[in-house]
Amino acid sequence: MRAFCYLLLIPLFISLSNASIVEETCKNISTSHPNIAYDFCVNSFESCEDSLVAADQRTLAIIASRLANSTAVKTEARIQELMEEEKNQPRRNRLDTCMEEYSNAIDELTTAAQALNVCRDGDAQTFLSAALDAASNCEDAFAEAEDASPLEEEDAEYGQLAAIALAIVAALRR
Ligand SMILES: *[C@@H]1O[C@H](CO)[C@@H](O)[C@H](O)[C@H]1NC(C)=O
Ligand SMILES: *[C@@H]1O[C@H](CO)[C@@H](O)[C@H](O)[C@H]1NC(C)=O
């Protein structure tokens, strides 16, 4: 997790109010987005050392994109594992759908983080919205076939992280 959220832009000075920036941001977005849990938000940022030196919301949005990305990478590896055991073709097709969704999401999150770095927040929002859909599209592939999703946990974790990144960028643009 730590390796994935490492930022190249190291702030020149450390703000003493960092804990409160994470807390305040998580409080703001969890209040306006019922699907984002405050504790999950704070704990996710605290898992990344860069959050401790993050001085602004833009940096937190980049960190959230990286955290979502690292869950997407982890989910791809999990899908690969499930594929190796799965003999049922319709189920393999559903796993394929999820693999494609997460593979696209990784590209979208990476583009979004690059856009945030150069203050193209509108573009970042577009790419994060697209990336957010990966979790629900993957879940839908199983739900539509009335098959229990083997990726429920990963989809839920990823969905929250992507929603956090998107909510922060939406707030930045206001
Ligand atoms: C949280 O919301 C308040 C009220 O809208 C706003 O003044 C403040 O800047 C926000 N803080 C952060 C870190 O988002
Ligand atoms: C997402 O993960 C991929 C593959 O590891 C990496 O190349 C990319 O830079 C990561 N993007 C972000 C935003 O962390």
Side-chain angles (χ1 to χ4, degrees), residues 55-101:
D56 59 20
Q57 298 215 70
R58 177 178 308 282
T59 311
L60 289 182
I62 295 171
I63 291 172
S65 305
R66 287 179 175 253
L67 291 170
N69 194 59
S70 102
T71 301
V73 169
K74 199 177 73 183
T75 304
E76 273 198 336
R78 179 69 190 129
I79 296 170
Q80 196 61 52
E81 255 174 41
L82 291 167
M83 274 293 208
E84 278 159 23
E85 298 157 11
E86 190 57 68
K87 305 265 184 284
N88 178 286
Q89 193 55 48
R91 218 155 195 250
R92 290 182 68 85
N93 293 345
R94 297 196 265 283
L95 288 170
D96 262 337
T97 299
C98 294
M99 187 63 116
E100 203 179 311
E101 289 290 336

Side-chain angles (χ1 to χ4, degrees), residues 12-24:
L12 293 177
F13 47 83
I14 295 172
S15 159
L16 291 174
S17 59
N18 296 315
S20 67
I21 245 212
V22 167
E23 282 162 17
E24 198 183 321

